[in-house]
Amino acid sequence: DIQMTQSSSSFSVSLGDRVTITCKASEDIYNRLAWYQQKPGNAPRLLISGATSLETGVPSRFSGSGSGKDYTLSITSLQTEDVATYYCQQYWSTLTFGAGTKLELK
Amino acid sequence: DVKLVESGGGLVKPGGSLKLSCAASGFTFSSYTMSWVRQTPEKRLEWVATISSGGSYTYYPDSVKGRFTISRDNAKNTLYLQMSSLKSEDTAMYYCTRDPGGNSHYFDYWGQGTTLTVSS
């Protein structure tokens, strides 16, 4: 199975920061990558599919980029409601998720 | 609005069985591939099973193959997950999810989940 590595399990952020979360696949996943946001007590919410396509209703401060094995979720000007855990998921082959990156306020 | 409501979770002894259900509403259930995804106590997400819109095709990871069976009743707009030979590592929150369609297997809607605990 393809392993998905999110380089940071957590990091501290401040409101207004630009935040970059990375996800690396163990092999090329041809942009078959989704990003999810999960807040405590809630189910994950789909933010981005196809590595770069923002889902309807997701604020435009979220964006996705990358290709091959390396992908990034960016948040410009972090808002309070963005404090959450973010997961990547590849769907090029047997579906697998990254371990998550938790954003915490400084 | 799309709504997915899971039920059937509980406490089961190792080796036991349990059947989860997911009631779907707000969309044409019979047109969508559906899946179960679980989240472990360590917050790791794992794909568990997928079933095609008509129910003819099912897919599982090796970790549950032969123990779990996904099924659906399109007349009742309900998705199921029959789990047997349960192990402690199956302890998780189980989410019912919708696949957006086409050849893309990610999850655009999630239920709120139902919890399975496997313990003696």
Side-chain angles (χ1 to χ4, degrees), chain A residues 1 32-34 36 38 41-46 48-50 55 87 89-91 94-99, chain B residues 35 37 39 42-47 50 60-62 95 100 103-113:
Chain A
D1 292 356
R32 301 300 202 273
L33 185 94
Y36 302 88
Q38 187 177 32
N42 289 349
R45 170 198 181 195
L46 177 66
I48 287 170
S49 60
E55 293 298 303
Y87 296 89
Q89 178 231 327
Q90 65 80 21
Y91 50 98
T94 304
L95 312 180
T96 51
F97 292 84
Chain B
S35 297
V37 176
Q39 186 165 36
E42 298 77 25
K43 301 302 183 185
R44 189 163 35 93
L45 290 167
E46 299 176 343
W47 165 65
T50 293
Y60 307 92
D62 289 343
Y95 292 104
N103 206 25
S104 296
H105 300 291
Y106 54 91
F107 314 107
D108 62 352
Y109 286 94
W110 300 58
Q112 281 307 299

Side-chain angles (χ1 to χ4, degrees), chain B:
Chain B
D1 288 0
V2 171
K3 195 171 183 184
L4 301 170
V5 179
E6 303 91 339
S7 61
L11 174 63
V12 178
K13 288 183 167 53
S17 299
L18 198 68
K19 188 172 186 176
L20 306 182
S21 300
C22 169
S25 60
F27 65 104
T28 306
F29 180 72
S30 59
S31 296
Y32 286 85
T33 294
M34 300 291 294
S35 297
W36 291 93
V37 176
R38 66 187 180 187
Q39 186 165 36
T40 69
E42 298 77 25
K43 301 302 183 185
R44 189 163 35 93
L45 290 167
E46 299 176 343
W47 165 65
V48 172
T50 293
I51 187 167
S52 60
S53 57
S56 297
Y57 302 98
T58 58
Y59 309 91
Y60 307 92
D62 289 343
S63 58
V64 307
K65 197 175 294 181
R67 300 189 300 120
F68 289 12
T69 302
I70 189 172
S71 62
R72 63 193 298 160
D73 185 335
N74 285 345
K76 294 183 177 179
N77 289 348
T78 303
L79 178 72
Y80 302 102
L81 183 68
Q82 176 69 53
M83 304 179 290
S84 61
S85 302
L86 284 164
K87 307 174 183 180
S88 58
E89 51 263 44
D90 295 318
T91 294
M93 175 78 81
Y94 283 74
Y95 292 104
C96 169
T97 67
R98 192 183 82 166
D99 184 311
N103 206 25
S104 296
H105 300 291
Y106 54 91
F107 314 107
D108 62 352
Y109 286 94
W110 300 58
Q112 281 307 299
T114 188
T115 301
L116 167 68
T117 302
V118 182
S119 175
S120 54

Side-chain angles (χ1 to χ4, degrees), chain A residues 20-91:
Chain A
T20 299
I21 298 170
T22 61
C23 179
K24 186 177 183 72
S26 58
E27 58 186 84
D28 196 326
I29 57 170
Y30 302 94
N31 287 4
R32 301 300 202 273
L33 185 94
W35 287 99
Y36 302 88
Q37 175 193 64
Q38 187 177 32
K39 297 180 182 179
N42 289 349
R45 170 198 181 195
L46 177 66
L47 298 178
I48 287 170
S49 60
T52 60
S53 297
L54 208 62
E55 293 298 303
T56 302
V58 175
S60 59
R61 62 181 178 272
F62 289 89
S63 65
S65 64
S67 62
K69 296 192 272 188
D70 296 300
Y71 298 86
T72 298
L73 172 69
S74 296
I75 312 170
T76 58
S77 191
L78 187 89
Q79 305 297 302
T80 306
E81 60 266 31
D82 303 333
V83 175
T85 300
Y86 293 86
Y87 296 89
C88 60
Q89 178 231 327
Q90 65 80 21
Y91 50 98

